[in-house]
Amino acid sequence: MELRLGFASFHFIQSAQKLLEELAEPASFVVAFQRRFWFMEHLLGEIIRLNGIYKRLLSNAGVKLYEGEGKIVGPNEVEVTQLDGTKIFYSAKHILIATGSRAQRPPIPGKELAITSDEALSLDELPKRAVVLGGGYIAVEFASIWRGMGSTVDLCFRKELPLRGFDDEMRAAVARNLEGRGINLHPRTNLTALVKTEEGMKVLTDHGEEIIADVVLFATGRIPNTKRLNLEAVGVELDKIGAVKVDEYSRTNVPSIWAIGDVTNRMNLTPVALMEGTYFAKTVFGGEPCKPDYSNVPCAVFCIPPLSVVGLSEEQAIEKAKGDVLVFTSTFNPMKNTISGRQEKTIMKLVVDAETDKVLGASMCGPDGPEIMQGIAVALKCGATKAQFDSTVGIHPSAAEEFVTMRSVTRRVSKPKTNL
């Protein structure tokens, strides 16, 4: 059992996206090919390096690591089966569960032939032909990475657009960009079977299509990693998908046992897990009870170019607002594309409460979106109004200045009236 710490997968995807954005318009195909070969060659080395950093950080903080498989055997006791099979027991006043989540596979014939995002990080070579099943973060990001390195990629997903739950206008922009980059999109499509053949893996869809691939990636969601923790035996309550139930302070129904991160299935984002961990430490050891705040949490999808958002989507704002919603948008060709000739527009959006002038949400699909959105998130956390955005002087020339120069309302949306 290999000990893998921290968020190596998360950091890898970000690094891959940034590198491939640089490679998107190569001055020389030979140089691009050499750099992509270097990238694949050093992929595992980067993951190992990141894990080394996490180990040093823990060691420097005085944390002891025990490699093995752990389970909770009492309200204050943990059993660890070490790599050599021996068992050791530890007792503590508080136990924190932070085991994350694990990938799940759809129940179709040949499912064992596919890989998940865990195995995708340790492939021996770049697949020439890849099929990705799923429409979420992981599916879109790996499709972008593999296509950026020259693979033929088919992306299959159940809905009309990828990235369910995001702003529909932004979802459409991402879909256009994926197709523009050469990814074959298969909306409203499920896989029905995988068959190993001499030519490669035959992928069958519910539309009667047959696709030959070297690798099939299942990115169809993750489930809380609680199956072998013995939680129910010690009385810890789980929900119907196996997530640990916690209160506002991340405490389970067993007072000495706490849980944070994806294992609780609240808001499954890496920085959110860090926030929950910080607040747990303040609550339990700092004498400062803290509840995690899940409002205005920024996030990014590291496709190429990336999508980044904070606050409410247009659809969410319309549903939650008491009155009208004002939508401001800006679409333009970023400077790097005017030089390269790529027809790939950046789109920015602000969603505003018409009555209070409060900015409810912001989103951007384009280069440097995550870097820009982090700053916008601070403004929304402080309750910024559209007037305050308008009174802020922009940095010129930059894409970010568009967020403070969108003066004209693109559309005003009224909440649908009902007779109830």
Side-chain angles (χ1 to χ4, degrees):
M1 178 186 303
E2 179 189 0
L3 179 65
R4 182 169 288 181
L5 299 170
F7 309 99
S9 302
F10 177 78
H11 288 300
F12 161 71
I13 289 172
Q14 290 183 79
S15 300
Q17 183 264 349
K18 290 179 183 295
L19 174 61
L20 292 174
E21 269 200 326
E22 292 180 9
L23 295 177
E25 327 295 347
S28 163
F29 177 80
V30 173
V31 171
F33 178 81
Q34 289 173 341
R35 291 174 73 185
R36 285 171 180 154
F37 178 78
W38 174 92
F39 179 78
M40 285 299 296
E41 190 179 47
H42 288 74
L43 187 154
L44 283 176
E46 177 63 9
I47 294 175
I48 292 170
R49 186 187 72 83
L50 290 170
N51 272 274
I53 291 173
Y54 297 138
K55 285 185 178 181
R56 287 195 298 274
L57 288 172
L58 291 171
S59 178
N60 292 340
V63 176
K64 292 183 179 180
L65 290 177
Y66 298 93
E67 296 190 39
E69 182 173 350
K71 66 178 182 180
I72 298 175
V73 293
N76 300 97
E77 190 171 28
V78 174
E79 174 191 297
V80 178
T81 302
Q82 299 183 104
L83 301 182
D84 62 3
T86 59
K87 295 182 179 180
I88 50 179
F89 296 84
Y90 297 94
S91 60
K93 184 177 180 180
H94 300 282
I95 295 174
L96 177 65
I97 303 167
T99 50
S101 60
R102 54 190 173 86
Q104 58 181 344
R105 298 168 183 263
I108 64 173
K111 63 180 181 180
E112 69 281 355
L113 299 174
I115 64 171
T116 67
S117 56
D118 297 330
E119 297 83 47
L121 293 174
S122 53
L123 292 176
D124 292 331
E125 58 184 22
L126 175 70
K128 293 181 180 179
R129 302 163 298 180
V131 171
V132 179
L133 175 63
Y137 287 82
I138 292 174
V140 169
E141 289 171 343
F142 270 103
S144 295
I145 290 169
W146 281 337
R147 180 57 194 154
M149 289 191 284
S151 303
T152 298
V153 178
D154 288 83
L155 178 61
C156 304
F157 46 93
R158 292 182 300 170
K159 300 296 183 179
E160 180 69 29
L161 292 168
L163 300 175
R164 179 170 59 91
F166 283 84
D167 187 284
D168 286 348
E169 191 170 8
M170 293 296 161
R171 296 170 68 197
V174 169
R176 287 194 299 271
N177 290 341
L178 293 174
E179 284 192 304
R181 295 270 174 170
I183 295 173
N184 303 313
L185 301 187
H186 302 263
R188 303 181 305 279
T189 299
N190 272 316
L191 304 190
T192 57
L194 305 180
V195 182
K196 193 172 184 178
T197 70
E198 292 183 359
E199 296 179 347
M201 205 180 311
K202 183 190 293 185
V203 182
L204 306 179
T205 78
D206 56 358
H207 293 297
E209 298 171 293
E210 293 186 3
I211 308 169
I212 301 297
D214 301 308
V215 165
V216 176
L217 171 66
F218 285 160
T220 49
R222 301 178 69 85
I223 56 176
N225 196 16
T226 56
K227 192 173 182 180
R228 297 162 67 175
L229 297 181
N230 198 45
L231 297 178
E232 291 172 302
V234 295
V236 175
E237 292 183 358
L238 307 178
D239 69 11
K240 61 183 179 181
I241 67 166
V244 179
K245 290 184 177 182
V246 294
D247 64 14
E248 292 178 301
Y249 295 94
S250 299
R251 195 174 208 162
T252 73
N253 62 301
V254 179
S256 58
I257 300 177
W258 309 69
I260 60 169
D262 288 12
V263 76
T264 64
N265 196 36
R266 287 177 285 182
M267 184 177 285
N268 299 337
L269 295 169
T270 298
V272 171
L274 295 174
M275 172 183 69
E276 291 170 353
T278 299
Y279 285 12
F280 159 77
K282 287 182 177 181
T283 298
V284 176
F285 302 110
E288 184 185 346
C290 295
K291 301 176 185 178
D293 180 6
Y294 299 99
S295 64
N296 292 318
V297 172
C299 65
V301 181
F302 288 93
C303 44
I304 305 174
L307 166 66
S308 192
V309 305
V310 63
L312 303 181
S313 66
E314 180 178 344
E315 293 74 29
Q316 291 168 336
I318 293 169
E319 181 181 345
K320 294 184 178 182
K322 295 180 180 179
D324 290 1
V325 171
L326 305 179
V327 179
F328 298 80
T329 62
S330 178
T331 303
F332 57 93
N333 208 24
M335 189 175 295
K336 63 169 62 178
N337 286 354
T338 61
I339 295 172
S340 68
R342 179 179 288 278
Q343 297 301 308
E344 195 171 70
K345 302 289 187 180
T346 286
I347 178 169
M348 294 179 171
K349 187 177 203 176
L350 289 176
V351 179
V352 179
D353 186 307
E355 183 178 348
T356 64
D357 197 43
K358 185 176 181 179
V359 179
L360 303 176
S363 50
M364 173 180 176
C365 184
D368 302 318
E371 313 296 336
I372 294 170
M373 199 56 60
Q374 184 65 81
I376 301 294
V378 176
L380 264 64
K381 201 73 175 176
C382 294
T385 64
K386 182 61 169 62
Q388 289 171 326
F389 269 70
D390 292 344
S391 67
T392 302
V393 176
I395 297 173
H396 184 78
S398 71
E401 68 179 315
E402 289 292 321
F403 274 116
V404 297
T405 56
M406 287 190 275
R407 303 283 193 261
S408 301
V409 177
T410 303
R411 54 186 170 273
R412 185 184 188 108
V413 185
S414 300
K415 194 177 185 70
K417 295 181 180 180
T418 66
N419 295 322
L420 297 178

